[in-house]
Amino acid sequence: MTINSFGVVGAGQMGGGIAQVAACSGFDVVLYDLNDSALTRGVGAISASLSRMVKKEKLTQDEMDQALARIKQTSDMADMVSVDIVVEAASEDEEIKKSIFRQLDEVCQPGAILATNTSSISITRLAAATSRPGQVIGMHFMNPVPMMQLVEIIRALQTEEAVFDKVKQLSLDLNKVPVDVKDAPGFVSNRILMPMINEAVFCRYENLASAEEIDTVMKLGMSHPMGPLALADLIGLDTCLSIMEVLYDNFKDSKYRPCPLLVQMVDAGYLGRKNGRGFYHYD
């Protein structure tokens, strides 16, 4: 099967970014979310992102209009019946993802590839929740999707080689750089990144320095473009906590224990940029 049409489940930051990149690459996109308000916000964010690209002359107004016209919004999962691949970009919760994969397994056409943008959950377990485990794979895009080149491609134990080859080529067609990664908790990116962020949170928890000072150390001392606490706010503190919990639960190693401050902040509803307050305040 040639991949011509593209489905995305979840119109949030990651799902919207994936839909934007696919539409700009010439694919017809079906963008699903549970309710119309989430879809409206998601497409509004895509439109705003494309407008910024037009202002920077990275895109023409005509190209922006064509990309938006390729995106079909829906709150009916049955509309995924015609897509060649669907990427799930819902909450980082294994049971929610398994439920979505069971639904997709029922409605998607035979041969359609079911991919997940999970940043830490086992692809093998998600594949086992379907009747087509050989057609399940991980496509872990980086945030923000339109700007970041990397896509980790993660094979489940069951994934067919032909499916991997198609997804690798699809990543290239999306102007991304695919990297073949084994199915293990956190894969490579978050196996390295999240413990670093968690350690930065411990530094703040122990009051070694302010959030700004911790980030300045990493930016000026290690040439990081963004400090770890600002990056945590961008990712979402709830997502950071979920990934740390996956690492801790799977490896049973205390080095992956989530910092108590991270747990507290999520309990308080301080989730970062997505709701205006994290380690920093946002408008």
Side-chain angles (χ1 to χ4, degrees), residues 107-120:
V107 304
C108 288
Q109 61 183 319
I113 296 170
L114 309 184
T116 175
N117 184 56
T118 180
S119 50
S120 61

Side-chain angles (χ1 to χ4, degrees), residues 45-144:
I46 293 171
S47 182
S49 175
L50 293 174
S51 292
R52 289 192 294 271
M53 294 175 71
V54 170
K55 288 180 181 178
K56 294 177 181 178
E57 299 184 346
K58 295 181 178 180
L59 205 67
T60 67
Q61 185 63 50
D62 185 54
E63 288 170 332
M64 171 181 168
D65 294 341
Q66 288 182 34
L68 288 173
R70 292 188 191 104
I71 301 174
K72 173 186 175 182
Q73 306 171 53
T74 183
S75 56
D76 184 355
M77 190 74 83
D79 286 336
M80 292 294 177
V81 65
S82 61
V83 301
D84 300 320
I85 185 170
V86 56
V87 179
E88 168 275 318
S91 300
E92 194 68 3
D93 180 293
E94 184 168 335
E95 293 310 311
I96 290 174
K97 291 183 183 294
K98 283 181 177 177
S99 175
I100 290 169
F101 268 75
R102 292 185 188 104
Q103 294 176 66
L104 292 172
D105 191 25
E106 290 181 7
V107 304
C108 288
Q109 61 183 319
I113 296 170
L114 309 184
T116 175
N117 184 56
T118 180
S119 50
S120 61
I121 295 169
S122 167
I123 313 299
T124 298
R125 290 200 299 269
L126 295 178
T130 76
S131 66
R132 58 176 93 187
Q135 293 162 241
V136 176
I137 197 165
M139 287 187 79
H140 181 211
F141 292 83
M142 303 295 118
N143 186 26

Side-chain angles (χ1 to χ4, degrees), residues 228-264:
L229 300 181
L231 180 55
D233 279 355
L234 177 64
I235 294 167
L237 302 191
D238 51 341
T239 300
C240 293
L241 177 59
S242 294
I243 296 168
M244 287 306 303
E245 288 174 337
V246 167
L247 292 171
Y248 185 59
D249 291 343
N250 280 272
F251 289 115
K252 311 298 183 188
D253 191 324
S254 61
K255 73 180 180 181
Y256 298 115
R257 176 175 67 95
C259 177
L261 177 58
L262 181 60
V263 177
Q264 270 189 324

